[in-house]
DNA sequence: ATTACTATAGTGCGAGTAA
DNA sequence: TTTACTCGCACTATAGTAA
């Protein structure tokens, strides 16, 4: 109704009719959203004016981003790289509960213990920039045991037909190595060894 | 999870974890959506595969279209026309309950009894094509008293700062007359008479 | 007219469990 | 392992009503 841009006059009974709920429920919903900090209100004697807060808009935009991903992202990118052994650091990060919970809800799978590192061919390095400038699926950072774990950007992907995901820290130096996680142990499932050249299909 | 494109394997407990509800509730939700015809399922002995139906996708797209309208459409179109008296037919259509209910939920107001007809200047006729090729806010058709009332496309608009909406039948001959509805009686509220030239701001 | 409290009716969730 | 039933409990919605 324009509540994103400015205060809008809506009585609770009006809102109830629009939402097909009672005046009482509409009133309560408004109070709940005020409580959560998603709405602000300018409550007059005979009318109220309501506006969505920045937090509220952010919350709506998050949902909008999901819809967008579902309906509009048909673009896929083929990136070629060779299997390498990393420092084993990826594994430590990826298995943090703070990330795991989000992986399950946003990527729809829990990653196998380790990560697969792919050293990207120089010809395809430019495609990494495309990934970095795409929104992807954002996994929030968190604090744990006094350390802080940063925000991570993910992309659904496939390697030789097997579902997986590329994960890249949102704030970090550029690298020519991509980290891939999957529900399966990719090295054994599709028989990969260091030095193998594979093509990764990334869904933007 | 890809259920728009094809069948996807998801157990009810998996779905429960992803949605932060129990296995039982997830199972129930799936059954409800099947009942409503929004999902199809391929139920095997040890696994089920789920896909969203055409109706389900349509339903999601409707919500997506709303989000799109909220966040992306800042385009507005100024169309100039002169106030004319129509056949009074618009009034009959606009006051049909089948339309009224939808106006309240989609345009957020109930129209005043009549409609205001604007004969569009020939210089602005091309802008009507823009409207016709824009999605707008779709109001479904319905049957009533043995007659059928067609689908109608609406656009939020303003005349001299007063909120209103343009309504145009989705399937009809081209016309150089636009019908405008508003919560207020526009002729008296902003003092309009036949022959007056007004500028209508239409929000795409 | 408003908004919103209280008490109650109604709906949804999930533990326990069967198939 | 699955899916999904029953049933008690908790949460949500609203009728009645006050301010």
């Amino acid at each position: 109704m324009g509540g994103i841009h400015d205060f809008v006059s809506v009585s609770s009974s009006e809102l109830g009719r629009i939402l097909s709920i009672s005046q009482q429920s509409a009133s309560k919903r408004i109070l709940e959203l005020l409580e959560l900090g998603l709405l602000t209100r300018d409550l007059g004697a005979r009318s109220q004016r309501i506006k969505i807060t920045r937090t509220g808009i952010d919350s709506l935009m998050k949902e909008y981003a999901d819809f967008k991903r579902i309906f509009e992202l048909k673009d896929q990118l083929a990136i070629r790289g060779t299997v390498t052994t990393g420092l084993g650091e990826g594994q430590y990060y990826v298995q943090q509960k703070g990330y795991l919970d989000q992986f399950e809800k946003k990527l729809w799978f829990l990653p196998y213990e380790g990560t697969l590192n792919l050293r990207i061919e120089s010809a395809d390095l430019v495609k990494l920039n495309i990934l970095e400038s795409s929104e992807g699926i954002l996994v929030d950072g968190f604090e744990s045991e006094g350390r802080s774990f940063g925000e991570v950007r993910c992309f659904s992907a496939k390697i030789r037909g097997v579902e997986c995901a590329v994960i890249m820290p949102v704030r970090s130096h550029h690298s020519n190595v991509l980290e891939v996680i999957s529900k399966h142990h990719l090295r054994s499932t599709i028989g990969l060894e260091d030095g193998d050249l594979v093509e990764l299909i990334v869904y933007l």
Side-chain angles (χ1 to χ4, degrees), chain A:
Chain A
M1 303 173 77
I4 299 202
H5 308 294
D6 199 358
F7 281 97
V8 172
S9 294
V10 206
S11 77
S12 56
S13 49
E14 245 177 289
L15 189 65
R17 248 175 297 128
I18 291 168
L19 300 178
S20 300
I21 59 177
S22 69
Q23 172 275 123
Q24 290 88 336
S25 296
S27 167
K28 205 172 157 206
R29 290 267 268 269
I30 292 168
L31 290 172
E32 287 162 1
L33 293 172
L34 284 169
E35 190 72 29
L36 290 167
L38 302 174
L39 291 183
T40 7
R41 178 165 65 162
D42 173 6
L43 179 52
R46 238 172 212 72
S47 77
Q48 65 184 352
R49 299 183 344 122
I50 295 175
K51 192 176 131 184
I52 305 177
T53 61
R54 185 66 237 173
T55 325
I57 293 173
D58 287 345
S59 174
L60 288 170
M61 281 176 68
K62 227 168 186 173
E63 192 153 347
Y64 181 40
D66 287 334
F67 270 103
K68 230 177 179 155
R69 212 171 20 251
I70 293 169
F71 286 109
E72 325 251 287
L73 61 66
K74 301 291 104 253
D75 285 328
Q76 55 190 61
L77 211 58
I79 303 181
R80 285 149 52 94
T82 50
V83 177
T84 60
T85 298
L87 301 170
E89 223 197 349
Q91 173 171 348
Y92 169 70
Y93 280 94
V94 154
Q95 290 298 324
Q96 291 295 319
K97 186 166 177 351
Y99 286 136
L100 287 178
D101 290 348
Q102 293 185 73
F103 288 152
E104 178 146 46
K105 308 215 161 164
K106 295 179 179 175
L107 301 177
W108 311 303
F109 67 79
L110 277 175
Y112 184 86
E113 222 182 287
T115 68
L116 181 76
N117 294 306
L118 289 185
R119 181 170 308 279
I120 304 309
E121 305 233 298
S122 51
D124 283 355
L125 281 175
V126 63
K127 295 184 180 171
L128 296 187
N129 294 317
I130 300 179
L131 291 189
E132 270 160 23
S133 63
S134 299
E135 185 153 22
I137 300 169
L138 289 174
V139 167
D140 307 321
F142 56 93
E143 305 272 333
S144 173
E145 300 167 12
R147 291 193 52 173
S148 84
F149 293 85
E151 196 181 15
V152 170
R153 177 181 289 131
C154 306
F155 296 91
S156 288
K158 281 193 180 177
I159 287 189
R160 298 197 184 157
V162 177
E163 280 202 35
C164 57
V166 173
I167 58 177
M168 45 203 318
V170 169
R171 273 167 286 276
S172 87
H173 57 291
H174 286 45
S175 154
N176 63 346
V177 174
L178 274 190
E179 300 218 53
V180 177
I181 57 177
S182 169
K183 175 158 51 176
H184 312 98
H185 183 231
L186 290 169
R187 283 180 184 257
S188 59
T189 311
I190 53 177
L192 291 180
E193 289 179 16
D194 277 9
D196 286 357
L197 179 65
V198 289
E199 190 178 65
L200 183 72
I201 307 292
V202 181
Y203 301 92
L204 294 185

